[in-house]
Amino acid sequence: MPRGMGWGRGRRRKMRMIGFIPQVKHFHPALPPMVPPKTPIFMTYEEFEALRLVDYEGLTQEEAGQRMGVSRGTVWRALSSARKKVAQVLVEGRELIILPQGNEEPGMEKE
């Protein structure tokens, strides 16, 4: 098959187990009416799940990786990205939209 057609580059992304689909997927700041809106920040379910498991539930990155079915390094990258996005939302007064990426699989939450 000619280069650039069909398969693409690299490996396919592994499915991520998501134990909690957020009910609220859109946050926006309460800005004065005259302030023009800024471009929104988009967060994936994977980033949201990593943030929820580590910062909200208090799991280690290793434990979060086991729940999500990915490596600790993948959790670390998703967590770093999610934390940066939350900080941008708070500091810059931008809206946050949480969207699926397409490689998430809803799983049963283990208690």
Side-chain angles (χ1 to χ4, degrees), residues 5-110:
M5 298 185 66
W7 295 98
R9 301 181 96 177
R11 294 180 5 174
R12 288 182 11 172
R13 289 180 56 95
K14 189 175 182 179
M15 293 297 284
R16 274 74 166 134
M17 296 300 293
I18 304 297
F20 181 85
I21 302 294
Q23 297 298 309
V24 178
K25 299 175 183 158
H26 186 207
F27 297 89
H28 59 88
L31 296 174
M34 300 305 279
V35 176
K38 298 176 183 174
T39 57
I41 301 284
F42 296 97
M43 180 182 286
T44 65
Y45 282 1
E46 176 183 350
E47 293 166 331
F48 175 84
E49 182 72 355
L51 192 66
R52 183 183 76 84
L53 291 174
V54 175
D55 290 342
Y56 181 74
E57 289 196 7
L59 300 180
T60 65
Q61 291 178 14
E62 186 70 39
E63 292 167 333
Q66 289 173 356
R67 284 233 199 141
M68 293 175 67
V70 296
S71 71
R72 186 207 51 82
T74 298
V75 171
W76 182 85
R77 285 185 290 279
L79 187 59
S80 294
S81 178
R83 287 175 174 166
K84 181 176 172 93
K85 289 176 181 182
V86 169
Q88 278 184 290
V89 165
L90 295 174
V91 172
E92 299 173 10
R94 295 166 69 172
E95 67 180 309
L96 175 68
I97 300 172
I98 303 171
L99 298 171
Q101 196 172 15
N103 62 332
E104 298 92 354
E105 182 176 315
M108 297 303 292
E109 185 65 25
K110 298 175 189 170

